Amino acid sequence: MKKKQFAVIGLGRFGGSICRELSRQGMEVLAIDIDEDRVDEYSSIVTHAVVADTTDEKALKSLGIRNFENVIVAIGDNIQASILTTLILGELGVRHITVKALNDYHEKVLSKIGADKIVHPERDMGVRIAHSIISKNVLDYLELSDNHSIVELVAGKRLAGKTLIELDIRANYGCNIMAIKREGEINVSPLANEKIHIGDVLIVIGDDKDLSRLEDQLLDDD
Ligand code: ATP
């Protein structure tokens, strides 16, 4: 398989963590930052690390940025630099541009100038952590849209020993159990007669209201 090529612009904690993980996954990564010290820090981790000001179109062109299938803009506080960089990447014809947004206004501008994917790591992580703090049964939470989510729920006494058909979560709650994690293994197509064990992690997709009803009625109180 041909290795995918990624460029990551901005080597703060967010961009840096993307670089490390992409490299760990065996991807080719070009890491770019205006700050020499940050570039030095990543030179032994990624395929290439270069110092460049990405608001300079010539600098981006000379790096051959248009040949990269995916470019991630992880410039933090400097919204102006983030916007200008995104604009130039779009004009140069980069196909998939992912940008970290600092706030809603930043997101609005980014979506108008051609960012393909806009992420809010701090906000999204905050939401996920809040959900897992509210209920000890919720391990993780992923928002799919304003009304739909995927949650990871830990099965307790109330669910133990019951089969999926007995629970009939789809008919009773309008949600679907997509997979069950048990002792490190994941079953992505659980059968109707699958019995739930205490400690199983159920990966459930549904409307937020239905998911809350399911959490309230089917999971142990404490
Ligand atoms: P975090 O560390 O949580 O990711 P952050 O998103 O605020 O925080 P910063 O520490 O601001 O990240 O890091 C953004 C990086 O982007 C910095 O290393 C900065 O040098 C780099 N950067 C800022 N402007 C440019 C630019 N014009 N060209 C290239 N890199 C830039």
Side-chain angles (χ1 to χ4, degrees), residues 80-204:
Q80 202 176 325
S82 156
I83 291 171
L84 193 50
T85 298
T86 306
L87 194 65
I88 297 171
L89 292 171
E91 283 174 359
L92 291 177
V94 173
R95 291 237 305 276
H96 300 290
I97 310 170
T98 301
V99 194
K100 169 182 162 168
L102 217 61
N103 54 46
D104 292 343
Y105 300 109
H106 190 190
E107 171 166 6
K108 230 180 196 170
V109 177
L110 291 171
S111 65
K112 287 205 192 309
I113 61 170
D116 300 294
K117 188 169 181 188
I118 300 164
V119 293
H120 293 257
E122 292 90 354
R123 188 186 73 183
D124 296 348
M125 202 58 203
V127 172
R128 287 170 79 167
I129 289 176
H131 276 263
S132 64
I133 293 172
I134 290 169
S135 164
K136 78 169 183 51
N137 298 104
V138 175
L139 280 191
D140 204 354
Y141 167 93
L142 193 66
E143 190 179 275
L144 295 177
S145 71
D146 284 349
N147 303 317
H148 295 86
S149 309
I150 294 176
V151 284
E152 285 192 356
L153 305 171
V154 187
K157 285 190 288 257
R158 285 199 206 174
L159 289 176
K162 298 204 169 68
T163 63
L164 294 183
I165 192 93
E166 281 167 350
L167 291 168
D168 207 356
I169 301 256
R170 189 180 305 177
N172 292 324
Y173 297 93
C175 305
N176 280 295
I177 296 184
M178 297 159 57
I180 299 178
K181 278 198 233 174
R182 181 177 300 151
E183 292 163 8
E185 299 285 318
I186 182 153
N187 177 357
V188 291
S189 54
L191 299 172
N193 62 358
E194 180 75 40
K195 258 194 191 155
I196 293 177
H197 299 185
I198 285 188
D200 278 358
V201 175
L202 313 179
I203 302 168
V204 190

Side-chain angles (χ1 to χ4, degrees), residues 29-48:
V29 182
L30 169 67
I32 309 168
D33 202 292
I34 201 168
D35 179 331
E36 205 172 328
D37 290 342
R38 292 221 160 148
V39 171
D40 282 347
E41 200 184 323
Y42 284 87
S43 59
S44 60
I45 297 168
V46 297
T47 324
H48 298 289

